[in-house]
Each structure stands twice: as structure tokens, then as C-alpha cells.
Amino acid sequence: MTFSVRTVPAPTAPAEPACDVTTRLGPVTLPNPVLTASGCAAAGRELDQFFDVTQLGAVVTKSIQLAARSGRPTPRMAETPSGMLNSIGLQGPGIDDFLAKDLSWLRERGARTVVSIAGSSVEDYATLARRLRRADGVTAIEVNISCPNVADRGLVFACDPVAAGDVVAAVRHETDAAVPVFAKLSPDVTDIVAVARACVEAGADGLSMINTLLGMALDLDTMRPVLAGVTGGLSGPAIRPVAVRCIWQVHAALPDVPIIGMGGVRSGLDALEMVLAGASAVSVGTAVFNDPGAPPRVLHELVVALAERGFDRLSDAVGFAHRGPA
Amino acid sequence: MSEATARPLQVRGEVLSTHRVGAYHHLVLVAPGVADQARPGQFVALALGGPDTNLVLRRAFSIYRVSTRGVYGGTVEIIYAARGAGTQWLARQVQHTRVDVVGPLGRPFAPPRDVASATLVGGGYGSAPLFALAEMLQARGCRVDFVLGAASSDRLFGALDAKRMGSIVAVTTDDGSAGTRGRVTDVLPAVIERAGTDVVYACGPMAMLRAVSVVADSYGIPAQCAVEESMACGIGVCMTCVLPVRGDDGITRMVRSCVEGPVFLGDRVRWDDVGTVPADALGAPR
Ligand SMILES: Cc1cc2nc3c(=O)[nH]c(=O)nc-3n(C[C@H](O)[C@H](O)[C@H](O)COP(=O)(O)OP(=O)(O)OC[C@H]3O[C@@H](n4cnc5c(N)ncnc54)[C@H](O)[C@@H]3O)c2cc1C
Ligand SMILES: Cc1cc2nc3c(=O)[nH]c(=O)nc-3n(C[C@H](O)[C@H](O)[C@H](O)COP(=O)(O)O)c2cc1C
Ligand code: FES
């Protein structure tokens, strides 16, 4: 009886990329296009036990707010077919602790860092950006606008092009021109292109999409909602076609705006699909929960998939699917 | 509270054997490397469902036993109840099925500083991690007693092992099908008094841990409790597995049971507030 058991961590970085995978996100060039997704990698430290986080294009942090937040009650998650619902409620340490403990760790580790920020007013976002301006080690800012706007009876910024633009303009105003600002869009809107356009007109260097879709599950024994927060954000492979559609529509309308694509990416082929639809980079989120080694694996598989299709450069593949018949 | 632990591994494991024990399943997994580092109270997170599964989250299981030697280069054993889609899939697997294993995870039970009398309390499959703990404690010269409880005799795990290892072994079942009819906390005070217990170790359902904590508190002794909260990642990145725990500074925080637990001091956990965010917790909504 033989057992062929292979120990991981092993299948990580490609030895010699068969293709140039550097990617431009506005004023910044990343060595490769695979990132973590906000809220699915904390601030990189835990995943660094499984793979070298400096191998990634960048670590995208959990959305940071001004003050520490305890989040929502449990249960906070439910598994659904090829996906999950979460209602974490942005639990996190607040900007001071983040700068002192997390950002400094990422900087010393040598990782590129995209800091995700979240607030409940335009002023919150502006203050966060001002605090980040004085910090070292911020590669880019991702503005999580899927948050309730206190000034507008809790309407989510991302659902209103005007409010979304206001937030982006405030962050852009407070941020060094060398640091790109990405607005993270919600798919739960009638016209994602309108919100995308408003963000770009307000000064966004690029767009991240998609955040989770609002969903819900009932426990059929108790006959009540599974989540303590009643509704939650749906993520994972189940939402990938929605993400591809959003990337496609926005890239078609705004072909020069770099997009960080995300939503259900589990393999290099999934990442390739987003690149072909128009993404210049790809975040790996929920897949990390199943496979902590997913981000470097996705990168490796993406490099292979690009090479197999004859691409010498990632940038040639971005939006390739929009070109006429082959 | 616990010692620092080595970093977890992700290994491609393989089912070596599986068989039923009462209402549960006993699974032996080949998982090289994991066994060498594992300490009592730690857990593994398994990716279940096979390569084309629609199950996207791992499942957490306490480590029952490990073996670091032998032809398989290290095995990890778990005792589990087949409940939902993932564990039912696992129950159908036979030898050689591949299962990706992440572990060992979480903070283990902390041994007492000095030789002590330890009472180990297990509910249902929650007794699984207590036997490796008993071995470790006995190797340090500690006295070990057991209180094991379950809904019914088929859900009582490890009574024979307990009899072999423990000075006193008290068994309870809700339906009286084995031992004393009732709950573990009905018999725990008598055991503590007879054994002169210095420390309680407990693993089982939340309601049991809460009740055990109250009893230990009333005797002024610490209870180390291994909790079971719903987990999506098991490695500390998702924030789903939190519960309210009081820190050294007296401040309550929503802490991750996968990395700061699963073992907590019973008097630090705000048992009555589990499933809520207490108003005085750090960062609670104002
Ligand atoms: C630290 C720890 C140790 C555990 N040890 C054991 C053990 O030794 N033996 C055993 O039988 N079970 C144990 N459990 C519970 C075990 O994780 C669940 O029974 C299992 O996840 C259920 O999976 P499923 O596919 O059957 O259920 P599903 O309902 O399909 O699971 C769906 C999702 O919910 C999560 N989930 C569901 N129930 C639980 C639960 N009770 N606890 C945590 N997550 C849950 C799963 O991880 C999965 O992500 C432990 C849980 C934790 C957190
Ligand atoms: C548990 C969890 C927490 C998340 N937290 C955040 C967050 O703090 N900020 C944010 O912008 N997006 C957050 N997201 C959304 C992800 O970043 C991502 O946009 C979404 O999950 C889709 O990608 P995926 O399917 O690869 O996970 C979270 C997602 C999950 C599952
Ligand atoms: S289960 Fe993800 S942080 Fe604990």
C-alpha cells in the first residue's frame, strides 16, 4: 500500500513567469495582478503563515474605520451553494491601531498594501485619507463605499452616484497624487456604469468590483433567519458571473480605467475570465477560506493560462474579450 | 493564557481508516507534519466535499489523537457527528480519499504550572480532545478525573478510555441510558470535592461550558473551556467566529475563537452574552 502525500506549502510562485504579468493601476505598477480581497485576509499576517505575502501583487486590508468597531452579533455566516453569506459588520481595530500594528507590520514585511477604508459620512472618509497620507507603506487606497450614509437615512453610498462621487472626491483630495484611489462598487444597483462614471469623474484612478450581493437564508428548523443580522453579503463562486458582467459593462463604457476584479475567483482560469472581461488585477476573497494558499496558486495558474493562450503580456489580455470575433 | 504555538500547515491528507463509534465516526487521516506540532485542545480544519464540491467553507474538528511515527509519516484522528452536507460526505468516504487538512489550529489547553488535580469534563464528542490532554497531564504527575456526559449512551464518547486513565469517572446521560440521569454539572461538584480539584478542563456544547464555568467559579478554581463557534476560515482572517471575552484589562472584546481560542478561561467568557455584542464591548454600537 502506498500513499503519495504531498506537503504544502509548495505550489506557489512560478519559477520564471512565461509572460510579463506586471500590471498598471493608475500611477502604480504592481509586479503581478493577484491581490487578496478586503475582509478576506485581515491584514496579511495570518496568511503569511501559509505563503509569502510579498509574492502577491498587494495585500488588500480589511476595511478600516476611524474608531474600533465590534461588528454584528453571531451567527455571522451561512454557507450557501457555492458561496456564503456574511454579516460581519466591519469589525476592526480603528485607524490608530491599524497604523501602529498592521500597516507597520506589512511595511516591515515588505508587502505592498492596498488600504481599504470605510466610513459613515464623507467627512469620515476624508479624515481616514488624511491619516493615511501621513503614513508610510500605502500602495493604494480602496474606498469601500458599500456603507450606510448616516446623512442620507442610511442609504448606501455605492447606490447613489452623487454620494459615491462625493466620497471619492473627498478621498482623492486628501491623497497624494502618487497613490491611486480605487472606488469599490456594489453590484446591487440598477446601473453600475452610472456609479462607475460618477466615481471616475470625481477623481477615482480605478474601480474595484464587485462587493458582495445582499442575500438571506432561513434556518428551516427554527424557521427564522440564519444570520443574527438577518441579511448578509453573498460571496464566492456563486456570484462570479455577476462580477464578470459588471466588469464587462464598466470596461466597455470606460476602457481606460483600470479595474480590480473580484467575486468568486477560485482558480487561475476564473482570474483569466475577469482579465479578458476587462480587469487589470484580480482579488481572491472567499476562496482563501477554503484554501489559504489560494492567492499564489491563482497567480501561478493565471500565468500558465495566459502563456497557453499565447499572451506574452498580461496587459494584452486585459479586455481581450471585447474585441470583435476571433 | 496558553503557550505560543508553531505555525499551522496546509497538507494534502488522505483517509487511512474510518469506522463508527456509537452515533459518531472515528476518522484517521494521514496528515504529515500536522501531528508533530499538535497539542491537546487544538483543532484541524478540513476541506470536505471533493474536488468539484459546492461547499466553500472548511469544517473544524478537535484533534482526538495523533501519531507522529509509523509508515504514514504522521496521522491525525478526529471523532465527528455526521450532520450536514460536509460531514455526511465525509462519512461516505473510504480509504485513500484525499482531504486537504489545515492544522494544528488554535490555542491548546494550558497545563497547570505545578502538579495539580485536574478534572476533565466532556460533553458528547467534546470528550475527544480530553484523552490526549489526560496523557499530558499524567506525564506531568497530575491527578486526572473525568466527568463525561451526553444526551444518550450512543453519544457518550470514550468512557472506556476514561476508566483506564482516570481516578474517578462519572458519567451522565440526559435519558439515563448510561451512568447517572442528568447533566455533567449535577455530578461535577461531588467529583471536585472528592478529587480536591485544582483546575477544570472542559469541551462540549456552549450551554455545558457555561454551566461548568459557574460550578468551577463557585469553588474558586479556573476552568479552561474549549468552545465551538461557527467558523468560516479557522485561521483568523474572516471574523465570523467571535464571542465576547473579557481581557486582562477588564475590557470586553469580540475575539476570534479560532486563533485566540478555542480554549478560553471560563470566567473570561461572557457566556450569557454569547450571540450578542454587549453594549460595553470595545467598539459596540453607540
Ligand atoms: C473548534 C471546533 C472544534 C470542533 N470539533 C468537533 C469535533 O470534534 N467533532 C464534531 O463532530 N464536530 C466538531 N465541531 C463542529 C463541526 O465543525 C461541525 O459539526 C461541522 O462543521 C458541520 O459541518 P457540516 O458540513 O456537517 O454542516 P453544515 O451545516 O453543512 O456546515 C455549514 C457551515 O457551517 C459551519 N458549521 C456548522 N455547524 C457548526 C458547528 N457546530 N461548529 C462550527 N461550525 C459549524 C461549518 O463549518 C460550515 O462552514 C467543532 C467545531 C469547532 C469550531
Ligand atoms: C467575510 C467577508 C468579509 C468582507 N469584508 C469586506 C470589507 O471589510 N470591505 C470590503 O470592501 N469588502 C469586504 N468583503 C467583500 C470582498 O472583499 C469581495 O468583494 C467579495 O467577497 C467578492 O469576492 P469573493 O467572492 O472572492 O469573496 C468581505 C467578504 C467576506 C466574505
Ligand atoms: S473562523 Fe475566520 S476568523 Fe475565526
Side-chain angles (χ1 to χ4, degrees):
Chain A
M1 188 169 40
T2 55
F3 282 89
S4 49
V5 177
R6 188 168 53 86
T7 16
V8 192
T12 49
E16 191 64 48
C19 101
D20 172 6
V21 288
T22 57
T23 193
R24 284 200 55 179
L25 299 180
V28 159
T29 299
L30 299 181
N32 71 66
V34 174
L35 285 59
T36 60
S38 180
C40 301
R45 211 185 297 234
E46 293 82 1
L47 289 184
D48 201 46
Q49 303 174 333
F50 296 95
F51 64 88
D52 175 358
V53 293
T54 66
Q55 283 177 10
L56 296 178
V59 172
V60 182
T61 69
K62 172 88 191 158
S63 293
I64 306 304
Q65 299 167 92
L66 281 177
R69 286 281 203 90
S70 61
R72 295 213 187 91
T74 55
R76 287 178 168 184
M77 69 97 172
E79 194 179 43
T80 57
S82 293
M84 70 176 283
L85 292 164
N86 87 80
S87 79
I88 308 296
L90 294 187
Q91 178 173 347
I95 185 81
D96 292 330
D97 252 38
F98 169 77
L99 293 175
K101 295 180 186 145
D102 297 328
L103 188 61
S104 56
W105 180 85
L106 284 157
R107 190 174 58 230
E108 277 156 34
R109 184 73 185 82
R112 284 159 299 277
T113 303
V114 176
V115 180
S116 169
I117 57 174
S120 41
S121 68
V122 173
E123 188 48 36
D124 280 0
Y125 287 95
T127 310
L128 286 161
R130 214 174 301 133
R131 298 293 314 276
L132 287 171
R133 187 174 190 139
R134 292 197 293 269
D136 281 336
V138 180
T139 304
I141 292 177
E142 187 176 84
V143 191
N144 175 2
I145 50 174
S146 295
C147 300
N149 178 1
V150 167
D152 192 9
R153 287 168 290 117
L155 183 73
V156 173
F157 292 101
C159 294
D160 171 9
V162 176
D166 289 348
V167 170
V168 170
V171 173
R172 186 62 278 176
H173 178 72
E174 298 291 349
T175 304
D176 193 294
V179 175
V181 171
F182 273 65
K184 181 157 172 183
L185 306 184
S186 164
D188 285 335
V189 293
T190 322
D191 184 359
I192 195 164
V193 172
V195 185
R197 206 172 253 130
C199 291
V200 170
E201 280 163 11
D205 301 86
L207 301 162
S208 301
M209 65 192 76
I210 55 175
N211 213 317
T212 54
L213 286 96
L214 198 61
M216 181 169 172
L218 299 181
D219 180 324
L220 299 180
D221 293 323
T222 65
M223 299 190 278
R224 296 290 184 281
V226 177
L227 300 174
V230 182
T231 59
L234 182 65
S235 65
I239 71 168
R240 206 179 77 232
V242 179
V244 172
R245 182 267 296 174
C246 291
I247 295 165
W248 173 279
Q249 289 179 330
V250 171
H251 184 74
L254 303 163
D256 300 326
V257 177
I259 293 173
I260 302 175
M262 72 203 73
V265 172
R266 197 167 33 171
S267 69
L269 291 178
D270 299 342
L272 177 68
E273 189 182 19
M274 290 195 174
V275 169
L276 297 175
S280 295
V282 171
S283 279
V284 180
T286 301
V288 166
F289 303 162
N290 192 263
D291 177 9
R297 177 179 53 74
V298 167
L299 172 58
H300 176 67
E301 292 169 355
L302 174 62
V303 170
V304 171
L306 287 166
E308 278 171 358
R309 285 160 184 75
F311 289 107
D312 300 328
R313 292 185 311 190
L314 170 81
S315 54
D316 294 339
V318 174
F320 190 84
H322 292 260
R323 303 195 192 157
Chain B
M1 133 171 104
S2 336
E3 304 155 47
T5 50
R7 51 141 86 168
L9 299 176
Q10 180 179 12
V11 304
R12 268 243 256 162
E14 201 164 305
V15 173
L16 182 58
S17 72
T18 172
H19 66 267
R20 292 200 68 123
V21 261
Y24 304 128
H25 300 258
H26 176 182
L27 173 73
V28 183
L29 279 172
V30 179
V34 177
D36 303 283
Q37 298 183 20
R39 296 216 249 132
Q42 288 188 296
F43 65 96
V44 287
L46 308 182
L48 303 180
D52 300 316
T53 184
N54 68 355
L55 306 179
V56 300
L57 304 176
R58 280 184 185 253
R59 271 70 174 158
F61 302 95
S62 301
I63 297 172
Y64 164 45
R65 287 198 300 229
V66 297
S67 120
T68 53
R69 281 183 294 274
V71 284
Y72 305 117
T75 56
V76 171
E77 302 177 36
I78 64 167
I79 304 298
Y80 70 94
R83 288 209 271 234
T87 50
Q88 283 181 24
W89 174 85
L90 188 58
R92 292 192 301 271
Q93 302 314 304
V94 292
Q95 200 177 33
H96 299 316
T97 299
R98 291 202 177 278
V99 177
D100 193 274
V101 182
V102 169
L105 294 166
R107 294 198 186 179
F109 288 115
R113 221 165 287 136
D114 308 308
V115 172
S117 169
T119 297
L120 280 47
V121 185
Y125 57 73
S127 56
L130 300 180
F131 304 104
L133 172 67
E135 258 172 44
M136 179 184 82
L137 293 171
Q138 287 178 331
R140 290 165 176 257
C142 295
R143 173 192 165 123
V144 171
D145 302 276
F146 284 95
V147 179
L148 302 183
S152 50
S153 61
D154 60 334
R155 294 179 179 274
L156 198 64
F157 178 76
L160 281 178
D161 280 343
K163 289 201 174 97
R164 186 171 51 77
M165 305 177 85
S167 304
I168 304 171
V169 178
V171 168
T172 65
T173 49
D174 296 355
D175 65 358
S177 55
T180 310
R181 179 192 295 265
R183 301 284 165 95
V184 288
T185 40
D186 297 337
V187 301
L188 181 59
V191 174
I192 290 177
E193 282 165 28
R194 272 174 62 201
T197 307
D198 300 305
V199 55
V200 173
Y201 293 92
C203 182
M206 286 293 201
M208 182 203 97
L209 297 177
R210 178 184 173 280
V212 167
S213 259
V214 170
V215 172
D217 247 10
S218 71
Y219 285 92
I221 54 178
Q224 292 193 25
C225 300
V227 305
E228 181 182 309
E229 262 294 343
S230 206
M231 292 182 180
C233 75
I235 58 170
V237 297
C238 75
M239 308 300 289
T240 59
C241 62
V242 300
L243 75 179
V245 176
R246 230 177 266 112
D248 291 333
D249 53 8
I251 295 173
T252 297
R253 293 178 180 79
M254 301 302 290
V255 309
R256 293 165 298 176
S257 58
C258 66
V259 287
E260 283 154 271
V263 178
F264 292 103
L265 283 174
D267 61 353
R268 292 297 183 82
V269 177
R270 294 185 48 179
W271 299 107
D272 293 339
D273 298 319
V274 170
T276 72
V277 176
D280 59 345
L282 182 72
R286 275 147 296 168

